Amino acid sequence: MPGRSDFESLTMDFKNILIALLIGLVAGWLASFIVGGDGLLRYRLKGVIGSFVGSFLLNYFGISLGINNEVIRDIVTATIGAVIIVLAARVIA
């Protein structure tokens, strides 16, 4: 972005990463609440990976959640993906 300093860019990137990790943490906790599991690191890992899986699957199948609030929509999408990951891991293991 023209005119933006490196510090502003770094701050915005850090903020976006922090928000993604917090959304992943909430989504992982919700998924663990739904299908079982524990541990802060596992919550975050499931949630962050789940956000990618959930986004991919919802876009691939053309599913719209109809949620206008962006943060809530991201949390629900990541939770759906995290639940799918947990259930797939149980089937494989």
Side-chain angles (χ1 to χ4, degrees):
M1 188 177 265
R4 231 170 65 178
S5 72
D6 289 338
F7 179 73
E8 288 174 326
S9 177
L10 181 63
T11 303
M12 290 185 69
D13 291 342
F14 179 74
K15 183 179 176 183
N16 291 339
I17 290 169
L18 185 61
I19 290 170
L21 289 175
L22 288 173
I23 288 174
L25 180 63
V26 171
W29 177 79
L30 288 171
S32 294
F33 182 75
I34 293 168
V35 294
D38 61 347
L40 186 63
L41 182 61
R42 288 183 184 175
Y43 290 159
R44 189 176 305 141
L45 186 62
K46 285 186 275 189
V48 171
I49 295 171
S51 67
F52 290 108
V53 171
S55 294
F56 172 78
L57 291 175
L58 292 178
N59 287 331
Y60 183 79
F61 291 110
I63 298 171
S64 173
L65 298 176
I67 300 172
N68 294 328
N69 185 310
E70 187 176 344
V71 173
I72 301 298
R73 184 178 57 240
D74 289 346
I75 290 172
V76 171
T77 300
T79 302
I80 290 169
V83 167
I84 291 170
I85 287 172
V86 171
L87 293 177
R90 286 183 182 172
V91 168
I92 294 170

